Amino acid sequence: MNKSCERVVLEEKWPLLSAFLWEQGQGGLLLAYSGGVDSALLAEAAWRILGSKVLLTYFDMPLNGAEDRRQAVALAQKQGWPYQVVEADPLQMPEVAANGRRRCYFCKSYLYRLLQRQAEAAGMAALADGVNCDDLTVYRPGNFAAEQVGVLHPLAAAGFHKADIRLLARHWRLPNWNRPASPCLASRFPYDQPLTVENLRLVEAGEKIIAGYGFTPLRLRVHGDIARIEAPKEMLPQLIQEQEMIEDLRQLGFRYITVDAQGLRSGSMDV
């Protein structure tokens, strides 16, 4: 661990984060929680500063996989964080199901307004999510939805980048400190390819098959009847040789199975 980076995080950024949470959370803080390292780090920070004044909300929806929910709930229980699981279905919105370039905005708008109603019911005055500084420099239409509803970004406000989050999560011994990013399943489809519960579950099943052969992290991008596997470049030669895995994927209904020569990369559908 880089001692200089550790000092900056522990002595400069963590005090900023704790002060922000103390100031903004006195009336209660409802936190959008996914189980990823960002929202988990924020959950631990808020729990340390606010105690029972914080409540985590995990949205159980078709855009998430069953394993994501299991891990999120298990982590909250292990850490002792107050949490609730709320059912949500962004696909009921035509703008989300149509999967246009602003899908994320409409989805987040739906979820944040649902979060707002949950906060009102629970008597919580403030809303927050795990957005960090890196998220503010890339294509994230959902950030505008957060701004409209007044969702706070405590990590970004305190100057936390992804590397800082992982460093502090490791320092606090959070079990998911090095968990790879796990964006929603809608990100596996090109824009304007409609989203359905069936094709989302298809992606989930396909990624479970690939992970079962030891290939993680990964993305299974779907283009009609073509499955395009993204994985770290060092895994590509072995991926191609796993013919049994390829056949398992074909059994799901894919006509063609391809391996992306560019490897795993975030936001590859944002073109």
Side-chain angles (χ1 to χ4, degrees):
M1 183 181 295
N2 186 301
K3 293 299 181 181
S4 177
C5 293
E6 182 180 15
R7 183 194 63 78
V8 170
V9 171
L10 297 180
E11 298 180 13
E12 297 179 20
K13 295 188 177 184
W14 163 231
L16 286 174
L17 177 59
S18 60
F20 184 92
L21 290 170
W22 177 257
E23 179 181 351
Q24 299 294 330
Q26 288 305 302
L29 182 68
L30 193 64
L31 171 61
Y33 170 69
S34 69
V37 64
D38 299 340
S39 65
L41 187 280
L42 182 57
E44 178 65 17
W47 175 241
R48 291 184 178 212
I49 298 300
L50 299 172
S52 61
K53 292 182 179 180
V54 65
L55 176 63
L56 281 55
T57 295
Y58 179 87
F59 289 117
D60 187 15
M61 56 183 179
L63 301 178
N64 294 338
E67 181 60 16
D68 287 331
R69 169 179 169 157
R70 187 196 68 77
Q71 291 188 26
V73 169
L75 179 59
Q77 292 176 340
K78 180 179 184 299
Q79 298 298 124
W81 302 326
Y83 76 95
Q84 61 181 356
V85 176
V86 175
E87 291 189 7
D89 185 14
L91 292 181
Q92 67 180 279
M93 299 186 66
E95 299 90 345
V96 176
N99 194 27
R101 288 193 64 86
R102 299 187 69 208
R103 176 205 72 233
C104 186
Y105 164 76
F106 290 110
C107 182
K108 289 292 189 181
S109 181
Y110 165 83
L111 293 175
Y112 286 139
R113 295 191 187 284
L114 181 56
L115 191 71
Q116 191 175 46
R117 292 196 293 271
Q118 294 294 322
E120 292 170 356
M124 299 282 183
L127 310 174
D129 64 14
V131 166
N132 63 62
C133 290
D134 297 330
D135 296 324
L136 301 180
T137 63
V138 292
Y139 182 65
R140 292 285 190 275
N143 289 341
F144 181 55
E147 181 181 335
Q148 289 179 313
V149 179
V151 177
L152 303 173
H153 306 319
L155 295 174
F160 274 77
H161 293 267
K162 192 74 169 190
D164 302 323
I165 291 168
R166 292 197 186 278
L167 190 154
L168 185 54
R170 182 181 180 185
H171 179 78
W172 284 347
R173 299 183 180 179
L174 293 182
N176 70 338
W177 72 269
N178 64 342
R179 180 187 175 187
S182 181
C184 84
L185 295 174
S187 66
R188 310 314 198 262
F189 299 87
Y191 290 122
D192 299 321
Q193 181 172 329
L195 302 175
T196 65
V197 172
E198 290 73 24
N199 61 22
L200 292 167
R201 297 286 73 81
L202 181 67
V203 166
E204 182 181 11
E207 291 193 346
K208 183 176 181 180
I209 287 172
I210 300 169
Y213 282 84
F215 299 107
T216 57
L218 71 121
R219 301 284 186 273
L220 184 64
R221 313 288 191 184
V222 176
H223 306 262
D225 60 359
I226 300 173
R228 175 170 59 87
I229 303 172
E230 289 184 15
K233 289 184 178 180
E234 62 270 18
M235 294 182 180
L236 300 188
Q238 187 180 353
L239 264 171
I240 295 171
Q241 296 175 21
E242 289 288 354
Q243 291 303 307
E244 185 176 347
M245 180 194 74
I246 298 299
E247 184 55 33
D248 288 345
L249 291 173
R250 285 178 59 85
Q251 292 300 313
L252 293 178
F254 294 112
R255 186 175 183 184
Y256 302 104
I257 315 295
T258 68
V259 175
D260 195 314
Q262 296 184 75
L264 178 63
R265 56 206 188 281
S266 176
S268 70
M269 291 300 201
D270 293 332
V271 294

